[in-house]
Each structure stands twice: as structure tokens, then as C-alpha cells.
Amino acid sequence: MQTSILAADTLIQANAVDYLLIAIYFAFVLGIGFLASRGMSNSVDFFLSGRSLPAWVTGLAFISANLGAVEIMGMSATGAQLGLPTVHYFWIGAIPAMLFLGVVMMPFYYGSKVRSVPEFMKRRFGTGAHLVNALSFATAQLLIAGINLYLLGSIVHALLGWPLWVALIVAALIVLSYITLGGLKAAIYNEVLQFFVIVAALLPLTLLGLHRVGGWDGLTSKIEKAAAANPDTIAPAADQLNSWPGAALTGFNSDFLSVVGIVFGLGFVLSFGYWTTNFVEVQRAMAADSISAARKTPIIGAFPKMFVPFITIFPGMIAAVLVTEIARTKAGEAVAGGASGEGVTYNDSLLYLMAEVLPNGLLGLAITGLLAAFMAGMAANVSAFNTVVSFDIIQEYIIKDRPDDFYVKLGRWATVAATAVAIFTAVLASNFSNIMDYLQTLFGFFNAPLFATFILGMFWKRMTATAGWTGLVSGTLAAVLVGILADGTLGGLSVGVLPLSGQGASFVAAGAAFVVDVAVSVVVSLVTTPKPEGSLKGLVYSETPKEDLVDAEDAGRPWFERPVPLAGVALVLVIILNVIF
Amino acid sequence: MSTETNRGFLGTLLSLFDIRNVIGSLLAVYGIILLLMGLFGDPEVDKTGGPNANLWAGVVLLVIGAVFIAWGLLRPVVPDAPGSSKVNEDK
């Protein structure tokens, strides 16, 4: 196995059938863009796909938009390194927040008829908070699109041997053509398609890998053996095979603090901030055909999301015991090779496992799945970016009062511009990969105070416009301050006064951002003038008639078509999963 | 939204464009290719550890693809009257 990889020019050997599978997928993707461009005539169509999609479509798109490069490569890499505690990113760090979004927050988003999350900010808090939110979001999307594009290009390079710059430009052009042609609807259709392809790609990989290591028992005994052989470099097997308390993940010495860090930092602040205010996600639900479908979007998405760890984290864990290169990397050796050609990293786990267990044919399907996921990730960033730029920045502040189709055209140009910038940031990422990591950590900081501001604003009518933006800014600053005081979170910028590193530091930073945001918002609200009563209808809980928040037709539906009972079932399932693992 | 003149055309397009048909046909095409690979290609059992993975994956994909296409055929999408962009299922 090892010689075949070392003798080859590329990490994975694809043959004609594999290329055929990839080509068919691209034909479908471009066909969708072309078809979606028919029957589209106004800005609601282009940006919110006419609010016409059924809940299962938007629900799958909701999790697919997140199932991009960072998730698939990142989660399998963390799985290879740390094992089962990685599931917290799903069962603690995603599901509860998705259910909360569907049950509590979505009625405000959908019911107030806003076209974007920053627009909700504007209606609730006015210009200051709106501008802070819109600008930070748009910038973050460009950078993340660049990271997705870079990973996409580097995998094309590793798999097919194309030069990185060719891979980048080809990938960017394909993403560009299907979004400009079809708008959000094409992006969402492709995300749903991508969901099935990625499952069809990763499920056989997981099953075959598990078969090769001798099932779950074989996997556990091999992990125990590897951990016992290298106690200095590999986390103890007990930590890798049980999700709680997850000390290896947080880096905390105390089990109790580790649990608190995961539940409050990751589970509450970070994940609620991400899932409930990130427009990339919320936009998918806004495209649903009714308030009930919009609420069901994240709730339906929660069911497949629960099982994504089995096809991302498990392959990573399997690769760490089955693939020699990854096992040696885990034991602390520096191994030559890898997708980048600059040494094997945990990020290469999936690719090595694919080369190890998949025959040609399934291999092509797996490559297609990865390419699809990274393109869809980038498309999601770009389509959210063009909505925010067209409506929230340009229409609000720069070129006002033009006819509708002007902004549709503008949206298309924003997409072209975003793609060009993404190529640039992708090149940047290829040269300074560490800097991109830090930038991502930084943008993580923006999410925590956002959630605090939203949730206060939705339930406390006294909260003022000034409190909106001062809370956001001070919360973000608090998070950055913790990042700087911690050890290594922001690289050279971190001074290491606090004995925190890795994920634990992010959790503490998020917690600090939340607490400071709430405190500042409350104090500022008490000394400034609130918005007049009546202007907050549809935006604040106590000011909105109950019947505006629910779908009247829901009452007659069976339980499995109503949002709240569905969410209850999902919550029970996720608790069961936590108990088992 | 659309004018009445192209409503018939739009209807045909919508049924072709129904996401269930798109998913179903892609999965079915993949299923057929993998099935053929499983029947006539090298099963590469040294990699899979025994099973003919292409064959099995092909069969499963073909079945799932067929289910999606059947769903699309049995409960087609009907476009509403012009002026509304809503598309109702199960009419």
C-alpha cells in the first residue's frame, strides 16, 4: 500500500470511470443552474428563491450549506486526532441550537419578512448594529469562501495532479456560473443533490474501513493498542472512546471544567451564535414556502445532522489506526507526503483512507462527493454575501431607490466580484495557512456577541438601539481580549497570561463575549431611550400577537408535520446518542 | 410571475426540474455505472477486505434513485396560476 502511494505522482489514482462520475456530476450542476435561470423574474426569486421550497428541501440544504470543506476535512481530522469527543461539535454544538432556531427564533425571521439577518438587525436596532453586522458578515464570507476554494483546489491538485492555480480557477468558474445563472434556488438544489452524493461517498468509505479494521471491536482494540504504545503523543484510549468529559478536546485539566466548557462555551454560546444568527444557514430557512416550513427547516435538518459524525469522525478514527501514514503522524513522527506535498497532516486522513479502501468506481464517487461539498460550501458563502452586499450595504447606504431589477443585476455582479476576491484569498490561504486559521478564530468571536444581542433584543422590548451596537462591539472586544491573553489562540498575538489553549480558549472567549455583551446592553439600555412601542411588532416577543408566530394550518396536521413535536423527538434522540457514546 | 404564454412550457420544465427527478436520475446513473463496474471491473478485494463494494453500492444507489423518481411521478408538482410563485405538492 505504502509503495503504491509513494510511487505515484498523485496521492490517489483515479481512472477513466472515476473521471466519468465526476463529469456527470458537473453536467448536473451546470444543468441545474441553467434550468433554474428560467422562470425567475424578481429579486425575491433570485435571493430567496421565491419563498417556494418545501421543508425537506430547505432542511437538507440547511445542513449541506454547513457540510463543506471545514466540516468534512476538519471533523475527520479531529476524529483521527482525538476520537469520539469530536461528536460534541454535532450533538452539543449543533443540534440544540438548530432546534432552538426552529422553535423560538424562526418565527421572528420569517414573520417579519426580512430578506437577511442584518436586515432584522436594522429593523430592531437601526443603523449602527446593522452596519456592524452586515460588514463583519460580508467580510467573513469572502474569507471563508476563499478557504473553501483553497481546500477545493488543493484536493483537486492532490487527487488529479492539476496545478493549484488551474484547479482554483476552474472551480471558481463552475461555482460562479451556477450561482449567477440560478441564484439561491440553484445553490439550494445543488446543496440537496450534494447531500446525497456526499452520503453515497462517505457511507461506503466508513463501512469498508470499519470492515477492514474488524468492526467496532477491532477499532477500539487497535486504538487502545496505539495509545498504549505511545503514551506521550496519543491521548489515552479512554478519552478517545468516550465523548464525555472530553478533556482532550478542551485542554482543561479538570473534568468538571471540561464539561462546563463544552456545555456553556461550545453548546450554548458558540453554537447558538453560529446557528441562529449566521445568515448562510438562516437564508435557507427563509426560502421555505410557509412559516411552518421555515420553522421545520432546521428541525428536519437536525435529524440527518445527528448522524453526520458517523460518516466524518469515524473515518478519521479508522484512518488513524488503518493507514500507516496517519498512524505514524499520530505517534508523533513527521511523515513525508500528504495532499499538500509538505508532509502528512490529520487533514489528509480521509484522502488516505479513500486510497486505502475504495476500488475505482466508488473512488470516483468519493472524489465527486468531496468536490461537491467544497463547491457547495463556497456557493453558500457567495450567495449569502451577494444578498447582504446588494440589500444591506448598497441599497441601504450607497445607491438607494432603484428599480428591483437593478439590485438583481447588482447581485450578479457582486457574485462575480466575490468569486474573484475568493480566488485571491485562496492564494493568500495557500501562502499563509496559519493566518487564515487565526482569522477564522476571530470571526468565531463575532458570532458569540451576536447571539447575545439577538436574544436580548427579541425578548426584552426595553433594549435600545444604542445598546444594540455597543453590546456587539464590546462583546467582540471581550472575546478578542481573551484570545490575546490566552496561550497561542491568536498565534504570536497571544501573550499566554491565561493558562488556556486550543478549543478551551475559544470556549472561554465566547463565554466572555456573551457575558460582556449582555452586561453592556443592559446598562446602556437603562440610560438611553427605547424605541417607541408599536415599532417593534414582529420583532420582539411581547409586542407580537401570538397568531403571527405560528402557522394557523399547523393545528390540523399530524404531530410529525408540526415543528415543536418534531423538535422534541430530535432532542430525545440526541440525548440517547450522548448516553450511548 | 411568469406570463401565461409560456405556462405550458414552464409546467414541463418544472416537472423535469423537480429536485426529486434530479436527485433520482443522478443516483440511478451512478448506480448503473457502479453496478457495471462491480460486474465487469476488478473488484479489488485487497482494498475492500472481501466484498464487491462497487456492486453493492451500485444496487443500493439504483434502488434509492428509483424511489426518488417514483416519488416524483406519483406526486407531481403542479404550478399555481400566474401571479403566484408558489408551487404546491400533491394536488
Side-chain angles (χ1 to χ4, degrees):
Chain A
M1 181 277 306
Q2 199 168 342
T3 48
S4 75
I5 284 179
L6 290 179
D9 292 323
T10 53
L11 201 153
I12 282 182
Q13 297 290 290
N15 73 10
V17 176
D18 299 322
Y19 281 107
L20 176 66
L21 291 169
I22 298 171
I24 291 172
Y25 184 77
F26 282 103
F28 268 77
V29 165
L30 292 177
I32 287 175
F34 179 72
L35 281 174
S37 68
R38 304 300 184 92
M40 168 153 354
S41 55
N42 62 28
S43 66
V44 173
D45 264 1
F46 188 76
F47 292 112
L48 288 182
S49 74
R51 292 193 165 215
S52 63
L53 298 170
W56 71 269
V57 169
T58 50
L60 287 179
F62 186 89
I63 58 162
S64 276
N66 176 254
L67 198 59
V70 180
E71 170 125 335
I72 292 176
M73 302 312 263
M75 289 301 138
S76 58
T78 317
Q81 188 183 359
L82 300 175
L84 271 182
T86 318
V87 298
H88 293 313
Y89 286 105
F90 295 84
W91 298 339
I92 301 294
I95 307 289
M98 289 166 72
L99 300 178
F100 184 82
L101 172 65
V103 171
V104 179
M105 292 176 81
M106 192 49 74
F108 296 101
Y109 284 139
Y110 196 88
S112 61
K113 296 268 189 302
V114 293
R115 286 169 300 191
S116 71
V117 171
E119 191 178 344
F120 184 89
M121 266 321 209
K122 180 178 168 57
R123 302 226 348 233
R124 177 64 184 85
F125 296 116
T127 308
H130 176 245
L131 208 58
V132 170
N133 185 205
L135 287 176
S136 70
F137 178 79
T139 319
Q141 290 315 305
L142 282 182
L143 290 166
I144 298 170
I147 293 173
N148 267 315
L149 187 61
Y150 164 64
L151 284 167
L152 180 63
S154 66
I155 274 150
V156 171
H157 167 74
L159 297 178
L160 310 175
W162 297 359
L164 186 63
W165 65 272
V166 175
L168 283 182
I169 291 173
V170 170
L173 284 178
I174 290 173
V175 173
L176 179 68
S177 52
Y178 84 67
I179 317 176
T180 41
L181 278 173
L184 181 61
K185 195 175 218 165
I188 288 183
Y189 270 34
N190 276 308
E191 280 159 11
V192 176
L193 197 60
Q194 173 236 329
F195 174 80
F196 288 98
V197 174
I198 199 82
V199 173
L202 293 180
L203 190 60
L205 180 68
T206 311
L207 292 176
L208 289 172
L210 212 50
H211 179 71
R212 281 279 301 278
V213 295
W216 177 246
D217 291 337
L219 180 61
T220 49
S221 71
K222 285 195 169 68
I223 287 177
E224 279 160 8
K225 209 187 289 172
N230 295 284
D232 297 336
T233 49
I234 299 182
D239 281 359
Q240 291 190 57
L241 294 168
N242 295 293
S243 57
W244 295 100
L249 182 74
T250 55
F252 292 152
N253 292 325
S254 140
D255 284 356
F256 174 74
L257 282 182
S258 175
V259 171
V260 171
I262 290 172
V263 171
F264 185 74
L266 172 67
F268 184 59
V269 180
L270 269 183
S271 92
F272 277 61
Y274 176 81
W275 289 99
T276 61
T277 65
N278 188 320
F279 182 50
V280 179
E281 305 299 334
V282 176
Q283 189 181 30
R284 267 78 202 144
M286 285 176 172
D289 61 8
S290 65
I291 191 167
S292 174
R295 297 181 71 192
K296 276 186 287 186
T297 293
I299 298 169
I300 288 177
F303 287 92
K305 181 81 183 171
M306 253 177 245
F307 299 100
V308 170
F310 294 110
I311 57 171
T312 53
I313 296 171
F314 276 41
M317 293 169 67
I318 295 165
V321 293
L322 185 63
V323 180
T324 327
E325 284 85 348
I326 305 295
R328 283 170 56 206
T329 305
K330 191 166 175 174
E333 293 177 45
V335 185
S340 62
E342 290 161 7
V344 178
T345 67
Y346 288 115
N347 275 333
D348 301 324
S349 303
L350 264 193
L351 299 181
Y352 273 107
L353 190 64
M354 280 160 57
E356 175 77 29
V357 304
L358 293 182
N360 285 107
L362 271 178
L363 185 62
L365 187 56
I367 299 171
T368 310
L370 290 185
L371 293 177
F374 302 163
M375 288 202 331
M378 182 180 160
N381 300 136
V382 171
S383 65
F385 170 86
N386 73 25
T387 309
V388 168
V389 164
S390 317
F391 286 132
D392 288 295
I393 299 176
I394 296 184
Q395 189 175 11
E396 283 300 331
Y397 300 107
I398 302 173
I399 312 170
K400 298 170 186 170
D401 304 323
R402 292 290 183 90
D404 201 42
D405 64 318
F406 174 81
Y407 296 102
V408 173
K409 270 199 203 105
L410 198 73
R412 294 212 162 104
W413 282 111
T415 307
V416 175
T419 311
V421 176
I423 294 179
F424 176 73
T425 45
V427 172
L428 207 70
S430 71
N431 291 323
F432 304 99
S433 59
N434 287 333
I435 290 180
M436 297 310 277
D437 283 347
Y438 302 142
L439 280 178
Q440 266 195 302
T441 314
L442 268 177
F443 287 120
F445 294 161
F446 286 125
N447 281 330
L450 255 186
F451 172 63
T453 300
F454 263 93
I455 203 71
L456 261 185
M458 275 180 182
F459 289 95
W460 191 37
K461 64 177 180 183
R462 179 76 180 74
M463 186 169 176
T464 63
T466 321
W469 73 265
T470 48
L472 272 184
V473 171
S474 55
T476 309
L477 289 178
V480 173
L481 186 68
V482 173
I484 290 175
L485 291 180
D487 197 3
T489 310
L490 293 172
L493 276 176
S494 294
V495 293
V497 176
L498 295 173
L500 295 165
S501 62
Q503 289 306 314
S506 306
F507 299 165
V508 173
F514 185 85
V515 172
V516 170
D517 183 314
V518 170
V520 169
S521 299
V522 170
V523 171
V524 174
S525 288
L526 293 176
V527 297
T528 45
T529 329
K531 294 188 79 172
E533 303 268 331
S535 68
L536 296 174
K537 182 171 179 285
L539 303 172
V540 177
Y541 186 74
S542 61
E543 302 300 298
T544 309
K546 292 287 169 292
E547 55 272 22
D548 283 7
L549 296 178
V550 292
D551 192 333
E553 290 172 27
D554 258 358
R557 292 192 178 131
W559 67 269
F560 55 82
E561 288 187 5
R562 279 183 286 149
V564 179
L566 259 186
V569 173
L571 197 61
V572 171
L573 270 178
V574 89
I575 290 171
I576 294 174
L577 284 171
N578 264 302
V579 172
I580 296 177
F581 293 98
Chain B
M1 44 177 262
S2 290
T3 56
E4 276 186 64
T5 44
N6 63 4
R7 209 173 144 203
F9 172 68
L10 195 69
T12 323
L13 205 63
L14 264 174
S15 64
L16 273 181
F17 185 45
D18 186 332
I19 184 74
R20 294 167 298 183
N21 291 336
V22 177
I23 296 169
S25 37
L26 181 71
L27 295 184
V29 169
Y30 277 178
I32 291 167
I33 294 174
L34 289 186
L35 192 65
L36 293 176
M37 278 295 279
L39 290 176
F40 303 111
D42 174 7
E44 301 184 66
V45 287
D46 56 319
K47 283 188 173 178
T48 65
N52 187 336
N54 278 333
L55 185 73
W56 286 106
V59 170
V60 173
L61 282 174
L62 207 51
V63 170
I64 298 174
V67 168
F68 268 100
I69 293 174
W71 182 18
L73 286 176
L74 293 175
R75 303 176 83 178
V77 166
V78 182
D80 271 6
S84 153
S85 59
K86 268 202 139 187
V87 173
N88 291 337
E89 235 183 84
D90 196 17
K91 277 279 168 78

